[in-house]
Amino acid sequence: MKKFGYLLLGGVAVIVLLSNLAPMIALALSLVILYYAYRGFVKTNSTFNKVLLAVIGVIALFASASNIPAVLGFVALYVLYVVFKNWNKASKVKEKEDADPFTNFEKEWKNLKGNY
């Protein structure tokens, strides 16, 4: 039953991830542009370049802010990671102890002998 829950959760996460894939790429691209605009702004001494890079940075900042719903895609990616990580843990079945009273007696006797 746990595997069915993981399968359902993973399916929903895949759908959310695929629907947010383009905004995730746009967010990453706008953040890269913003980073390089900031680095260029800090390094340059020219006033014209500073104004130009500030305008590019503000445009990239607005583009990044418009793609904030892409964070749901990153959350879905994390959920997929957790589902894949826990998939094998759900398949492990606990070993049942024998109902035979003699094997249980032998096990208990070994435990009692080991406690002295």
Side-chain angles (χ1 to χ4, degrees), residues 32-95:
V32 167
I33 292 171
L34 180 64
Y35 172 73
Y36 282 114
Y38 174 74
R39 285 198 49 191
F41 181 82
V42 171
K43 286 184 178 181
T44 189
N45 291 328
S46 170
T47 306
F48 176 74
N49 284 344
K50 282 193 182 262
V51 170
L52 181 67
L53 288 172
V55 169
I56 292 172
V58 168
I59 291 171
L61 181 67
F62 288 147
S64 299
S66 69
N67 288 315
I68 288 298
V71 174
L72 289 175
F74 291 114
V75 171
L77 189 65
Y78 177 73
V79 167
L80 273 175
Y81 169 74
V82 170
V83 166
F84 284 137
K85 185 177 173 184
N86 292 329
W87 183 263
N88 289 331
K89 290 181 184 178
S91 65
K92 292 182 183 176
V93 178
K94 294 182 182 177
E95 295 179 17

Side-chain angles (χ1 to χ4, degrees), residues 102-113:
F102 295 109
T103 57
N104 287 335
F105 174 77
E106 291 295 326
K107 187 191 302 182
E108 290 298 323
W109 185 254
K110 285 181 185 177
N111 286 340
L112 286 174
K113 285 176 61 176

Side-chain angles (χ1 to χ4, degrees), residues 8-21 76 80:
L8 188 64
L9 185 64
V12 170
V14 165
I15 291 170
V16 170
L17 178 66
L18 289 177
S19 67
N20 285 320
L21 194 59
L80 273 175

